């Protein structure tokens, strides 16, 4: 970014032009933040008054000498100093309501549009300090007072407008970009509704998409991916909005860079995980699932799995999101020969990245693969694709049924152990309601156990004699029966919520009831 002629010579930053720039004055001002060691209301009023005076002087000087930068240079430096002094306020968040009542917020925010980019950057750093989590911790009321005032005075619009004029070829501008994103994150932390407000009122989503599309990695690309994930999390409005902006395709392009290579650093790993978080959030609305399939997202995820790179587990997760309650994605998965890759993982042939070793990582992948296969069964109800899916459990002497029962026993034992532990806690007078107990069991593995039982229900309803015999024999070997599977299915049936609507709840309950009826009808001897 070129230095405007109107920029104060004492505030210009070195940009590699070989010119001699005097930083002595700025360096002398660095200690100004500690000028007020103990801040109280009286000291705050003094700071604000001094700031307003310097602001007024600068405005007047610029109006009087618009084409003579040397005539307003001193006022620019003095204004910079006053903004730096205000940063001490972050150590006294209890005074934020007073900052608001003194009507200083509009004046501060107005400087985000200052002709001198350095002054605007000063304000960005100030806002990041004031809204930092450490400053706001245990100060909910003052934090809300400040954030409400900032939002009411268009902080979101002004921050994003300033963001768009920063150049990331300059280190100081890059730092300002980072602090701008940090401020947005801080605002959302205090006031979650900001996540939708900023997307409604500004072009931040567009800026973030442009940033993550860049091929070169830097810390701001990583942070942009994190902010995008935060904006999409728990916001169907933002998910749909980004989908309409070709967001699904852009995120897939960003992910595709890693289809045959691994991230080089832990920071780049975090970028990739953020991108997949974005993708999974985007895949919540039905229309975005359609965009994902059209953009050949299914094929890309299968390629990533086949390459067995760092993103392997994330690709499985994205596929599961895409195929949940969306048959076209399931059908595409079968059509592009994804079954072989999925069942290779199901059989335990899961690559573990050297930087992702550990029992929990292995389990997470297992659980996600089980969920993916359950989604396939739910999405493909008939036809040749269904036959191809079922045939996987017959080949190689029903080895996949053996594997399924192995997982069933493991998760069943884990849930039983957790149930016993919870019963003991009840005896120890630690009261928990039924919902809390059920949620604890889900976290301990009940959810995956339920999915395994659902897959068993699909297999049993196929009426394939070989598969039925294999399932019964394996249950008997463990001194179990179909009634145990039916009990798991019944508990699932009774706890299905209506988050996805009453029609989906009814459809799922009917499916589970069908499994239970089929299992019980062939089990009279028990």
């Amino acid at each position: 970014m070129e230095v405007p002629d109107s920029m104060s010579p004492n505030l210009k930053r070195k940009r590699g032009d070989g010119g001699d720039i005097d930083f002595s004055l700025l360096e002398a001002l660095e200690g100004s933040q500690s000028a007020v060691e103990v801040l109280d209301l009286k000291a705050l009023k003094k700071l604000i008054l001094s700031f307003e005076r310097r602001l007024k002087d600068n405005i007047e000087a610029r109006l009087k000498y618009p084409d003579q930068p040397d005539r307003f240079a001193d006022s620019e430096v003095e204004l910079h100093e006053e903004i730096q002094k205000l940063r001490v306020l972050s150590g006294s968040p209890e005074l934020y309501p007073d900052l608001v009542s003194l009507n200083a917020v509009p004046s501060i925010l107005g400087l985000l549009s200052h002709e001198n980019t350095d002054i605007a950057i000063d304000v960005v750093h100030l806002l990041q300090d004031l809204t930092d989590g450490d400053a706001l911790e245990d100060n909910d009321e003052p934090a809300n007072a400040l954030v409400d005032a900032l939002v009411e005075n268009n902080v979101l619009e002004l921050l994003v407008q300033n963001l768009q004029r920063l150049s990331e070829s300059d280190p100081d501008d890059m730092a300002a970009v980072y602090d701008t994103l940090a401020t947005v994150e801080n605002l959302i932390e205090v006031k979650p509704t900001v996540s939708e407000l900023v997307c409604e009122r500004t072009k931040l989503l567009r800026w973030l998409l442009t940033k993550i599309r860049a091929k070169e990695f830097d810390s701001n690309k990583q942070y942009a991916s994190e902010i995008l994930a935060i904006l999409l999390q728990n916001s169907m409005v933002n998910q749909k909005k980004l989908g309409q902006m070709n967001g699904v395709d852009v995120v897939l392009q960003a992910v595709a860079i890693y289809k045959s290579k691994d991230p080089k650093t832990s920071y780049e790993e975090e970028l990739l995980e953020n991108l997949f978080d974005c993708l999974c959030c985007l895949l919540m609305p039905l229309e975005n699932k359609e965009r994902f399939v059209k953009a050949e997202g299914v094929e890309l995820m299968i390629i990533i799995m086949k390459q067995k790179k760092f993103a392997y587990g994330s690709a499985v997760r994205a596929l599961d999101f895409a195929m949940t309650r969306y048959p076209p994605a399931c059908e595409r998965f079968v059509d592009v020969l994804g079954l072989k890759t999925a069942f290779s993982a199901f059989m335990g042939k899961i690559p573990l990245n050297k930087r992702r070793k550990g029992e929990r990582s292995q389990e997470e992948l297992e659980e996600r693969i089980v969920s993916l296969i359950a989604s396939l069964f739910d999405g493909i109800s008939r036809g040749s694709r269904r036959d191809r899916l079922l045939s996987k459990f017959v080949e190689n002497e029903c080895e996949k049924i053996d594997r399924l029962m192995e997982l069933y026993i493991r998760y069943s034992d884990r849930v039983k152990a957790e149930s016993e532990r919870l019963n003991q806690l009840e005896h120890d007078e630690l009261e928990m309601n039924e919902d809390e107990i059920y949620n604890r069991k889900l976290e301990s593995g009940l959810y995956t156990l339920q999915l395994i039982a659902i897959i068993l229900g699909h297999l049993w309803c196929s009426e394939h004699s070989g598969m039925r015999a294999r399932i019964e024999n394996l249950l008997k070997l463990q001194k179990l029966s179909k009634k145990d599977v039916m009990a798991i299915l019944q508990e699932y049936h009774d706890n299905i919520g209506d988050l996805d609507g009453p029609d989906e709840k009814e459809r799922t309950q009917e499916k589970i009831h069908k499994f239970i009826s089929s299992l019980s009808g062939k089990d009279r001897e028990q």
Side-chain angles (χ1 to χ4, degrees), residues 161-429:
Q161 287 170 12
N162 187 60
L163 185 65
Q164 293 172 319
R165 66 172 177 158
L166 294 173
S167 167
E168 293 197 71
S169 62
D170 176 82
D172 292 319
D173 282 14
M174 285 186 70
V177 168
Y178 189 93
D179 276 358
T180 299
L181 297 178
T183 301
V184 171
E185 182 180 9
N186 295 341
L187 294 173
I188 293 171
E189 184 71 25
V190 175
K191 196 178 183 70
T193 54
V194 167
S195 66
E196 291 188 358
L197 284 176
V198 71
C199 296
E200 176 188 337
R201 297 181 181 179
T202 77
K203 295 181 179 180
L204 180 60
L205 280 179
R206 181 69 64 189
W207 187 92
L208 293 171
L209 281 181
T210 301
K211 186 61 186 170
I212 67 168
R213 184 187 277 130
K215 291 185 178 180
E216 297 300 320
F217 173 82
D218 61 48
S219 60
N220 284 343
K221 181 179 179 180
Q222 175 203 330
Y223 203 3
S225 68
E226 182 178 342
I227 296 300
L228 187 59
I230 290 171
L231 293 174
L232 295 174
Q233 186 179 14
N234 302 322
S235 174
M236 186 70 75
V237 171
N238 289 350
Q239 292 161 8
K240 290 183 177 182
K241 187 179 182 68
L242 194 65
Q244 293 165 357
M245 296 167 61
N246 199 35
V248 174
D249 197 54
V250 172
V251 174
L252 285 173
Q253 289 174 32
V255 165
I257 294 174
Y258 300 96
K259 67 182 179 182
S260 57
K261 71 172 186 177
D262 282 337
K264 295 178 181 178
T265 65
S266 60
Y267 298 106
E268 205 168 351
E269 288 175 7
E270 186 176 339
L271 162 70
L272 186 53
E273 290 175 352
N274 289 338
L275 291 172
F276 271 103
D277 285 344
C278 293
L279 184 58
C280 291
C281 288
L282 276 170
L283 288 170
M284 298 298 286
L286 185 65
E287 56 267 38
N288 286 345
K289 293 176 188 284
E290 182 180 358
R291 294 183 175 106
F292 177 82
V293 172
K294 287 183 177 179
E296 299 185 350
V298 173
E299 290 88 332
L300 176 60
M301 297 304 112
I302 292 173
I303 289 172
I304 291 173
M305 290 178 67
K306 286 181 177 179
Q307 292 290 329
K308 299 181 179 180
K309 296 298 183 181
F310 179 85
Y312 182 97
S314 298
V316 175
R317 181 163 64 106
L319 282 170
D320 186 33
F321 270 85
M323 293 191 293
T324 300
R325 291 186 295 280
Y326 191 62
C330 300
E331 293 167 0
R332 176 67 69 85
F333 185 82
V334 175
D335 290 345
V336 296
L337 309 179
L339 289 179
K340 181 179 179 181
T341 305
F343 279 97
S344 176
F346 177 72
M347 292 303 294
K349 299 172 183 176
I350 299 173
L352 276 184
N353 189 281
K354 292 179 181 179
R355 293 178 295 226
R356 274 187 152 181
K357 284 184 177 178
E359 183 180 341
R360 186 56 198 153
S361 295
Q362 182 83 12
E363 287 180 359
E364 287 173 358
L365 278 170
E366 281 181 354
E367 291 167 4
R368 189 61 68 179
I369 285 289
V370 168
S371 180
L372 187 152
I373 292 173
S375 294
L376 279 170
F377 270 110
D378 188 52
I380 303 172
S381 58
R382 61 180 64 86
S384 61
R385 295 187 183 96
R386 178 79 171 187
D387 294 338
R388 290 166 65 184
L389 178 57
L390 287 168
S391 69
K392 284 292 177 181
F393 287 88
V394 179
E395 65 185 21
N396 297 329
E397 298 181 352
C398 297
E399 66 173 4
K400 293 173 184 65
I401 293 180
D402 295 350
R403 171 65 171 165
L404 190 66
M405 292 307 302
E406 174 194 330
L407 294 172
Y408 176 91
I409 299 303
R410 188 202 307 166
Y411 283 92
S412 178
D413 289 345
R414 186 182 301 174
V415 172
K416 286 176 184 175
E418 178 66 9
S419 297
E420 290 172 3
R421 192 183 73 82
L422 292 173
N423 287 335
Q424 184 59 46
L425 290 175
E426 287 280 291
H427 288 307
D428 294 341
E429 298 183 353

Side-chain angles (χ1 to χ4, degrees), residues 456-508:
L456 286 170
H458 280 288
L459 296 178
W460 191 267
C461 285
S462 72
E463 300 185 358
H464 188 286
S465 58
M467 286 196 287
R468 284 188 170 189
R470 193 75 167 196
I471 291 169
E472 285 192 289
N473 288 335
L474 290 169
L475 284 169
K476 286 177 181 178
L477 281 173
Q478 297 294 329
K479 297 181 180 180
L480 298 171
S481 72
K482 288 181 290 182
K483 286 183 179 179
D484 296 287
V485 180
M486 290 160 56
I488 295 167
L489 291 171
Q490 188 64 53
E491 184 179 24
Y492 177 71
H493 175 280
D494 296 342
N495 286 278
I496 294 172
D498 57 0
L499 184 64
D500 298 309
D503 291 342
E504 180 61 28
K505 176 180 179 179
E506 183 179 353
R507 185 190 76 84
T508 305

Side-chain angles (χ1 to χ4, degrees), residues 106-117 119-125 127 153-163 165 180:
S107 299
I108 293 170
L109 294 183
L111 291 176
L112 286 170
S113 302
H114 198 279
E115 291 88 341
N116 185 341
T117 308
I119 294 295
I121 287 175
D122 286 338
V123 176
V124 169
H125 297 324
L127 291 174
N153 285 279
N154 303 318
V155 68
L156 302 174
E157 294 88 335
L158 292 166
L159 278 172
V160 175
Q161 287 170 12
N162 187 60
L163 185 65
R165 66 172 177 158
T180 299

